[in-house]
Amino acid sequence: MTRDLLEKQRVDQGLRSRRSPILGGALVTMNTPDRLVESGPVGDSAAVAFFVDRLSAWFGQLQAISDVNLQIPSTAVTAIIGPSGCGKSTFLRCLNRMHELVRGARLEGEIRLFGEDIYAPQVDATVVRRRVGMVFQKSNPFPTMTIAENVTVGLRLNGIRQRAVLEERMEKALQMAALWEEVKDRLDKPGMSLSGGQQQRLCIARALAVQPDVLLMDEPASALDPIATMKIEELIQKLKKTYTIVIVTHNMQQAARCSDHTAFFYLGRLIELDTTEKIFTNPSNKQTEDYVTGRFG
């Protein structure tokens, strides 16, 4: 079934293969920087959004991620897959410095966003989180705010007060989140009055309003019905033309439908990263093959 989905995606949408120019057009796999993966034609326009080098992360004495090396291409969708507890969400939170908000959490290694070390001492974590937006598994509109206020709250926190600017950015964000036509006549209604799928798109609009460089999504459709899930997936395909998107998902079919690249994590380690087509049809690692074919996980 997954192979059929990929074939349909390739025919209908043209699955895009991107490779990093930094490592000669290849993506790192198996946590060994000198091992390169053959993953199709080199995309001349490809660029690296995140460069992750020897990343390890802990919660107190518990190590959640161990020695991860990878590169995430810009203006593409990278899916992070793996069984529960393998470090997917921890890795995602390291990318926008949310990991450090947990008491006792720490990390080692380096993460560069478009060449900038986001953990350098002089870098403001608030600026990083503005550039790297986050959408969580459970939609979380602010319950006391209207639809409009939910979208513009980040702008207001960043000091934007001009009404015309707020309204323009709000409308643009709602349009990008494919929600404007559904809510434009009730912007003063509570955000919690929307359906579950609409609430999740409202949270996406809230993240987009501050104009980030990257959008992180931690299982954004896991609590949604199939129709709402389809809308989120369609939205991801539109947004990747402008944004770098990293999505954590347990849904193998969703990863196959939505992503350009897929990274498989297991027990806190990166096992394999390659184009989604190769991961699901001809993975290089036996563990990857066993996971995507349902032998475990």
PDB file of all heavy atoms in Angstrom, residues 55-87:
ATOM      1  N   LEU A  55      24.646  15.534  18.073  1.00  0.00           N
ATOM      2  CA  LEU A  55      23.653  15.978  19.056  1.00  0.00           C
ATOM      3  C   LEU A  55      23.278  14.847  20.009  1.00  0.00           C
ATOM      4  O   LEU A  55      22.877  13.760  19.581  1.00  0.00           O
ATOM      5  CB  LEU A  55      22.398  16.471  18.341  1.00  0.00           C
ATOM      6  CG  LEU A  55      21.257  16.929  19.266  1.00  0.00           C
ATOM      7  CD1 LEU A  55      21.655  18.195  20.027  1.00  0.00           C
ATOM      8  CD2 LEU A  55      19.980  17.172  18.464  1.00  0.00           C
ATOM      9  N   SER A  56      23.406  15.115  21.299  1.00  0.00           N
ATOM     10  CA  SER A  56      22.936  14.215  22.345  1.00  0.00           C
ATOM     11  C   SER A  56      22.119  15.039  23.330  1.00  0.00           C
ATOM     12  O   SER A  56      22.429  16.214  23.571  1.00  0.00           O
ATOM     13  CB  SER A  56      24.106  13.538  23.070  1.00  0.00           C
ATOM     14  OG  SER A  56      24.845  12.707  22.183  1.00  0.00           O
ATOM     15  N   ALA A  57      21.064  14.444  23.888  1.00  0.00           N
ATOM     16  CA  ALA A  57      20.185  15.181  24.803  1.00  0.00           C
ATOM     17  C   ALA A  57      19.780  14.289  25.961  1.00  0.00           C
ATOM     18  O   ALA A  57      19.600  13.076  25.801  1.00  0.00           O
ATOM     19  CB  ALA A  57      18.949  15.676  24.057  1.00  0.00           C
ATOM     20  N   TRP A  58      19.640  14.918  27.132  1.00  0.00           N
ATOM     21  CA  TRP A  58      19.300  14.207  28.348  1.00  0.00           C
ATOM     22  C   TRP A  58      18.135  14.887  29.065  1.00  0.00           C
ATOM     23  O   TRP A  58      17.918  16.092  28.935  1.00  0.00           O
ATOM     24  CB  TRP A  58      20.477  14.194  29.318  1.00  0.00           C
ATOM     25  CG  TRP A  58      21.648  13.372  28.921  1.00  0.00           C
ATOM     26  CD1 TRP A  58      21.952  12.100  29.324  1.00  0.00           C
ATOM     27  CD2 TRP A  58      22.730  13.766  28.065  1.00  0.00           C
ATOM     28  NE1 TRP A  58      23.135  11.684  28.764  1.00  0.00           N
ATOM     29  CE2 TRP A  58      23.625  12.680  27.981  1.00  0.00           C
ATOM     30  CE3 TRP A  58      22.999  14.933  27.342  1.00  0.00           C
ATOM     31  CZ2 TRP A  58      24.794  12.726  27.222  1.00  0.00           C
ATOM     32  CZ3 TRP A  58      24.155  14.987  26.573  1.00  0.00           C
ATOM     33  CH2 TRP A  58      25.045  13.898  26.519  1.00  0.00           C
ATOM     34  N   PHE A  59      17.408  14.093  29.838  1.00  0.00           N
ATOM     35  CA  PHE A  59      16.487  14.575  30.867  1.00  0.00           C
ATOM     36  C   PHE A  59      17.032  14.042  32.190  1.00  0.00           C
ATOM     37  O   PHE A  59      16.827  12.869  32.518  1.00  0.00           O
ATOM     38  CB  PHE A  59      15.061  14.067  30.637  1.00  0.00           C
ATOM     39  CG  PHE A  59      14.429  14.588  29.380  1.00  0.00           C
ATOM     40  CD1 PHE A  59      14.398  13.810  28.233  1.00  0.00           C
ATOM     41  CD2 PHE A  59      13.844  15.845  29.348  1.00  0.00           C
ATOM     42  CE1 PHE A  59      13.809  14.280  27.074  1.00  0.00           C
ATOM     43  CE2 PHE A  59      13.260  16.329  28.187  1.00  0.00           C
ATOM     44  CZ  PHE A  59      13.237  15.539  27.057  1.00  0.00           C
ATOM     45  N   GLY A  60      17.741  14.889  32.909  1.00  0.00           N
ATOM     46  CA  GLY A  60      18.428  14.393  34.097  1.00  0.00           C
ATOM     47  C   GLY A  60      19.478  13.371  33.689  1.00  0.00           C
ATOM     48  O   GLY A  60      20.344  13.641  32.864  1.00  0.00           O
ATOM     49  N   GLN A  61      19.383  12.153  34.248  1.00  0.00           N
ATOM     50  CA  GLN A  61      20.325  11.089  33.918  1.00  0.00           C
ATOM     51  C   GLN A  61      19.877  10.261  32.714  1.00  0.00           C
ATOM     52  O   GLN A  61      20.650   9.435  32.213  1.00  0.00           O
ATOM     53  CB  GLN A  61      20.490  10.158  35.134  1.00  0.00           C
ATOM     54  CG  GLN A  61      21.075  10.843  36.362  1.00  0.00           C
ATOM     55  CD  GLN A  61      22.459  11.415  36.083  1.00  0.00           C
ATOM     56  OE1 GLN A  61      23.322  10.729  35.543  1.00  0.00           O
ATOM     57  NE2 GLN A  61      22.668  12.677  36.470  1.00  0.00           N
ATOM     58  N   LEU A  62      18.651  10.472  32.251  1.00  0.00           N
ATOM     59  CA  LEU A  62      18.117   9.690  31.139  1.00  0.00           C
ATOM     60  C   LEU A  62      18.530  10.306  29.804  1.00  0.00           C
ATOM     61  O   LEU A  62      18.186  11.451  29.506  1.00  0.00           O
ATOM     62  CB  LEU A  62      16.591   9.624  31.224  1.00  0.00           C
ATOM     63  CG  LEU A  62      15.873   8.913  30.060  1.00  0.00           C
ATOM     64  CD1 LEU A  62      16.266   7.442  30.010  1.00  0.00           C
ATOM     65  CD2 LEU A  62      14.371   9.080  30.185  1.00  0.00           C
ATOM     66  N   GLN A  63      19.266   9.553  29.002  1.00  0.00           N
ATOM     67  CA  GLN A  63      19.672  10.046  27.693  1.00  0.00           C
ATOM     68  C   GLN A  63      18.588   9.709  26.669  1.00  0.00           C
ATOM     69  O   GLN A  63      18.256   8.548  26.444  1.00  0.00           O
ATOM     70  CB  GLN A  63      21.002   9.441  27.261  1.00  0.00           C
ATOM     71  CG  GLN A  63      21.537  10.051  25.968  1.00  0.00           C
ATOM     72  CD  GLN A  63      22.989   9.713  25.704  1.00  0.00           C
ATOM     73  OE1 GLN A  63      23.589   8.921  26.434  1.00  0.00           O
ATOM     74  NE2 GLN A  63      23.574  10.310  24.674  1.00  0.00           N
ATOM     75  N   ALA A  64      18.041  10.747  26.031  1.00  0.00           N
ATOM     76  CA  ALA A  64      16.952  10.567  25.074  1.00  0.00           C
ATOM     77  C   ALA A  64      17.445  10.502  23.637  1.00  0.00           C
ATOM     78  O   ALA A  64      16.824   9.867  22.784  1.00  0.00           O
ATOM     79  CB  ALA A  64      15.936  11.709  25.219  1.00  0.00           C
ATOM     80  N   ILE A  65      18.549  11.191  23.336  1.00  0.00           N
ATOM     81  CA  ILE A  65      19.125  11.227  21.984  1.00  0.00           C
ATOM     82  C   ILE A  65      20.627  11.002  22.108  1.00  0.00           C
ATOM     83  O   ILE A  65      21.273  11.552  23.005  1.00  0.00           O
ATOM     84  CB  ILE A  65      18.868  12.584  21.293  1.00  0.00           C
ATOM     85  CG1 ILE A  65      17.385  12.817  21.086  1.00  0.00           C
ATOM     86  CG2 ILE A  65      19.574  12.645  19.945  1.00  0.00           C
ATOM     87  CD1 ILE A  65      17.073  14.172  20.503  1.00  0.00           C
ATOM     88  N   SER A  66      21.184  10.207  21.205  1.00  0.00           N
ATOM     89  CA  SER A  66      22.597   9.890  21.284  1.00  0.00           C
ATOM     90  C   SER A  66      23.299  10.108  19.946  1.00  0.00           C
ATOM     91  O   SER A  66      23.001   9.429  18.962  1.00  0.00           O
ATOM     92  CB  SER A  66      22.772   8.424  21.716  1.00  0.00           C
ATOM     93  OG  SER A  66      24.139   8.074  21.787  1.00  0.00           O
ATOM     94  N   ASP A  67      24.189  11.087  19.907  1.00  0.00           N
ATOM     95  CA  ASP A  67      25.135  11.298  18.803  1.00  0.00           C
ATOM     96  C   ASP A  67      24.457  11.319  17.428  1.00  0.00           C
ATOM     97  O   ASP A  67      24.803  10.562  16.525  1.00  0.00           O
ATOM     98  CB  ASP A  67      26.197  10.197  18.840  1.00  0.00           C
ATOM     99  CG  ASP A  67      27.405  10.553  17.975  1.00  0.00           C
ATOM    100  OD1 ASP A  67      27.704  11.753  17.847  1.00  0.00           O
ATOM    101  OD2 ASP A  67      28.021   9.633  17.427  1.00  0.00           O
ATOM    102  N   VAL A  68      23.508  12.225  17.268  1.00  0.00           N
ATOM    103  CA  VAL A  68      22.767  12.336  16.010  1.00  0.00           C
ATOM    104  C   VAL A  68      23.446  13.341  15.091  1.00  0.00           C
ATOM    105  O   VAL A  68      23.746  14.460  15.493  1.00  0.00           O
ATOM    106  CB  VAL A  68      21.300  12.748  16.270  1.00  0.00           C
ATOM    107  CG1 VAL A  68      20.604  13.129  14.966  1.00  0.00           C
ATOM    108  CG2 VAL A  68      20.549  11.621  16.953  1.00  0.00           C
ATOM    109  N   ASN A  69      23.681  12.932  13.850  1.00  0.00           N
ATOM    110  CA  ASN A  69      24.228  13.805  12.816  1.00  0.00           C
ATOM    111  C   ASN A  69      23.295  13.773  11.614  1.00  0.00           C
ATOM    112  O   ASN A  69      23.008  12.688  11.088  1.00  0.00           O
ATOM    113  CB  ASN A  69      25.607  13.313  12.360  1.00  0.00           C
ATOM    114  CG  ASN A  69      26.611  13.269  13.491  1.00  0.00           C
ATOM    115  OD1 ASN A  69      27.218  14.264  13.832  1.00  0.00           O
ATOM    116  ND2 ASN A  69      26.781  12.090  14.075  1.00  0.00           N
ATOM    117  N   LEU A  70      22.826  14.924  11.188  1.00  0.00           N
ATOM    118  CA  LEU A  70      21.989  14.961   9.988  1.00  0.00           C
ATOM    119  C   LEU A  70      21.881  16.384   9.470  1.00  0.00           C
ATOM    120  O   LEU A  70      22.253  17.339  10.142  1.00  0.00           O
ATOM    121  CB  LEU A  70      20.605  14.368  10.239  1.00  0.00           C
ATOM    122  CG  LEU A  70      19.671  14.976  11.300  1.00  0.00           C
ATOM    123  CD1 LEU A  70      19.017  16.248  10.809  1.00  0.00           C
ATOM    124  CD2 LEU A  70      18.598  13.975  11.675  1.00  0.00           C
ATOM    125  N   GLN A  71      21.351  16.483   8.263  1.00  0.00           N
ATOM    126  CA  GLN A  71      21.059  17.780   7.665  1.00  0.00           C
ATOM    127  C   GLN A  71      19.619  17.761   7.176  1.00  0.00           C
ATOM    128  O   GLN A  71      19.156  16.764   6.626  1.00  0.00           O
ATOM    129  CB  GLN A  71      22.012  18.060   6.510  1.00  0.00           C
ATOM    130  CG  GLN A  71      23.464  18.138   6.938  1.00  0.00           C
ATOM    131  CD  GLN A  71      24.397  18.283   5.763  1.00  0.00           C
ATOM    132  OE1 GLN A  71      24.185  19.138   4.909  1.00  0.00           O
ATOM    133  NE2 GLN A  71      25.422  17.465   5.705  1.00  0.00           N
ATOM    134  N   ILE A  72      18.928  18.873   7.377  1.00  0.00           N
ATOM    135  CA  ILE A  72      17.531  19.003   6.969  1.00  0.00           C
ATOM    136  C   ILE A  72      17.447  20.046   5.865  1.00  0.00           C
ATOM    137  O   ILE A  72      17.792  21.209   6.077  1.00  0.00           O
ATOM    138  CB  ILE A  72      16.644  19.398   8.165  1.00  0.00           C
ATOM    139  CG1 ILE A  72      16.645  18.266   9.203  1.00  0.00           C
ATOM    140  CG2 ILE A  72      15.230  19.719   7.711  1.00  0.00           C
ATOM    141  CD1 ILE A  72      15.885  18.592  10.472  1.00  0.00           C
ATOM    142  N   PRO A  73      17.011  19.646   4.663  1.00  0.00           N
ATOM    143  CA  PRO A  73      16.947  20.580   3.538  1.00  0.00           C
ATOM    144  C   PRO A  73      15.872  21.645   3.745  1.00  0.00           C
ATOM    145  O   PRO A  73      14.853  21.403   4.407  1.00  0.00           O
ATOM    146  CB  PRO A  73      16.602  19.685   2.339  1.00  0.00           C
ATOM    147  CG  PRO A  73      16.857  18.284   2.803  1.00  0.00           C
ATOM    148  CD  PRO A  73      16.628  18.296   4.272  1.00  0.00           C
ATOM    149  N   SER A  74      16.093  22.811   3.180  1.00  0.00           N
ATOM    150  CA  SER A  74      15.112  23.892   3.277  1.00  0.00           C
ATOM    151  C   SER A  74      14.018  23.722   2.234  1.00  0.00           C
ATOM    152  O   SER A  74      14.181  22.991   1.248  1.00  0.00           O
ATOM    153  CB  SER A  74      15.793  25.247   3.095  1.00  0.00           C
ATOM    154  OG  SER A  74      16.298  25.366   1.782  1.00  0.00           O
ATOM    155  N   THR A  75      12.908  24.403   2.460  1.00  0.00           N
ATOM    156  CA  THR A  75      11.719  24.376   1.593  1.00  0.00           C
ATOM    157  C   THR A  75      11.403  22.959   1.127  1.00  0.00           C
ATOM    158  O   THR A  75      11.268  22.682  -0.057  1.00  0.00           O
ATOM    159  CB  THR A  75      11.867  25.329   0.386  1.00  0.00           C
ATOM    160  OG1 THR A  75      13.058  25.014  -0.343  1.00  0.00           O
ATOM    161  CG2 THR A  75      11.907  26.767   0.850  1.00  0.00           C
ATOM    162  N   ALA A  76      11.325  22.074   2.090  1.00  0.00           N
ATOM    163  CA  ALA A  76      10.959  20.684   1.856  1.00  0.00           C
ATOM    164  C   ALA A  76      10.369  20.157   3.154  1.00  0.00           C
ATOM    165  O   ALA A  76      10.453  20.808   4.200  1.00  0.00           O
ATOM    166  CB  ALA A  76      12.168  19.852   1.434  1.00  0.00           C
ATOM    167  N   VAL A  77       9.753  18.985   3.090  1.00  0.00           N
ATOM    168  CA  VAL A  77       9.187  18.355   4.278  1.00  0.00           C
ATOM    169  C   VAL A  77      10.056  17.166   4.663  1.00  0.00           C
ATOM    170  O   VAL A  77      10.294  16.267   3.848  1.00  0.00           O
ATOM    171  CB  VAL A  77       7.736  17.874   4.032  1.00  0.00           C
ATOM    172  CG1 VAL A  77       7.170  17.237   5.302  1.00  0.00           C
ATOM    173  CG2 VAL A  77       6.857  19.024   3.568  1.00  0.00           C
ATOM    174  N   THR A  78      10.538  17.175   5.891  1.00  0.00           N
ATOM    175  CA  THR A  78      11.282  16.044   6.435  1.00  0.00           C
ATOM    176  C   THR A  78      10.449  15.397   7.530  1.00  0.00           C
ATOM    177  O   THR A  78      10.065  16.065   8.491  1.00  0.00           O
ATOM    178  CB  THR A  78      12.641  16.486   7.006  1.00  0.00           C
ATOM    179  OG1 THR A  78      13.424  17.072   5.958  1.00  0.00           O
ATOM    180  CG2 THR A  78      13.402  15.304   7.589  1.00  0.00           C
ATOM    181  N   ALA A  79      10.151  14.122   7.366  1.00  0.00           N
ATOM    182  CA  ALA A  79       9.374  13.388   8.363  1.00  0.00           C
ATOM    183  C   ALA A  79      10.316  12.655   9.304  1.00  0.00           C
ATOM    184  O   ALA A  79      11.322  12.077   8.874  1.00  0.00           O
ATOM    185  CB  ALA A  79       8.439  12.397   7.674  1.00  0.00           C
ATOM    186  N   ILE A  80       9.999  12.681  10.588  1.00  0.00           N
ATOM    187  CA  ILE A  80      10.743  11.936  11.602  1.00  0.00           C
ATOM    188  C   ILE A  80       9.843  10.788  12.053  1.00  0.00           C
ATOM    189  O   ILE A  80       8.749  11.019  12.578  1.00  0.00           O
ATOM    190  CB  ILE A  80      11.103  12.812  12.813  1.00  0.00           C
ATOM    191  CG1 ILE A  80      11.737  14.137  12.368  1.00  0.00           C
ATOM    192  CG2 ILE A  80      12.018  12.058  13.763  1.00  0.00           C
ATOM    193  CD1 ILE A  80      13.053  14.010  11.687  1.00  0.00           C
ATOM    194  N   ILE A  81      10.290   9.557  11.814  1.00  0.00           N
ATOM    195  CA  ILE A  81       9.492   8.394  12.183  1.00  0.00           C
ATOM    196  C   ILE A  81      10.269   7.523  13.155  1.00  0.00           C
ATOM    197  O   ILE A  81      11.479   7.645  13.296  1.00  0.00           O
ATOM    198  CB  ILE A  81       9.076   7.569  10.950  1.00  0.00           C
ATOM    199  CG1 ILE A  81      10.316   6.988  10.236  1.00  0.00           C
ATOM    200  CG2 ILE A  81       8.258   8.412   9.974  1.00  0.00           C
ATOM    201  CD1 ILE A  81       9.980   6.000   9.125  1.00  0.00           C
ATOM    202  N   GLY A  82       9.535   6.615  13.816  1.00  0.00           N
ATOM    203  CA  GLY A  82      10.148   5.688  14.759  1.00  0.00           C
ATOM    204  C   GLY A  82       9.154   5.334  15.833  1.00  0.00           C
ATOM    205  O   GLY A  82       8.149   6.039  16.027  1.00  0.00           O
ATOM    206  N   PRO A  83       9.382   4.253  16.581  1.00  0.00           N
ATOM    207  CA  PRO A  83       8.446   3.839  17.628  1.00  0.00           C
ATOM    208  C   PRO A  83       8.410   4.831  18.783  1.00  0.00           C
ATOM    209  O   PRO A  83       9.290   5.688  18.917  1.00  0.00           O
ATOM    210  CB  PRO A  83       8.999   2.482  18.069  1.00  0.00           C
ATOM    211  CG  PRO A  83      10.436   2.507  17.688  1.00  0.00           C
ATOM    212  CD  PRO A  83      10.536   3.342  16.453  1.00  0.00           C
ATOM    213  N   SER A  84       7.403   4.715  19.622  1.00  0.00           N
ATOM    214  CA  SER A  84       7.270   5.600  20.779  1.00  0.00           C
ATOM    215  C   SER A  84       8.512   5.502  21.661  1.00  0.00           C
ATOM    216  O   SER A  84       9.071   4.425  21.869  1.00  0.00           O
ATOM    217  CB  SER A  84       6.030   5.215  21.589  1.00  0.00           C
ATOM    218  OG  SER A  84       4.858   5.421  20.838  1.00  0.00           O
ATOM    219  N   GLY A  85       8.942   6.666  22.166  1.00  0.00           N
ATOM    220  CA  GLY A  85      10.076   6.695  23.074  1.00  0.00           C
ATOM    221  C   GLY A  85      11.435   6.642  22.422  1.00  0.00           C
ATOM    222  O   GLY A  85      12.451   6.463  23.106  1.00  0.00           O
ATOM    223  N   CYS A  86      11.490   6.854  21.092  1.00  0.00           N
ATOM    224  CA  CYS A  86      12.774   6.741  20.396  1.00  0.00           C
ATOM    225  C   CYS A  86      13.497   8.075  20.284  1.00  0.00           C
ATOM    226  O   CYS A  86      14.581   8.146  19.720  1.00  0.00           O
ATOM    227  CB  CYS A  86      12.578   6.142  19.008  1.00  0.00           C
ATOM    228  SG  CYS A  86      11.715   7.221  17.853  1.00  0.00           S
ATOM    229  N   GLY A  87      12.893   9.161  20.781  1.00  0.00           N
ATOM    230  CA  GLY A  87      13.565  10.459  20.774  1.00  0.00           C
ATOM    231  C   GLY A  87      13.100  11.428  19.710  1.00  0.00           C
ATOM    232  O   GLY A  87      13.679  12.504  19.545  1.00  0.00           O
TER     233      GLY A  87
END
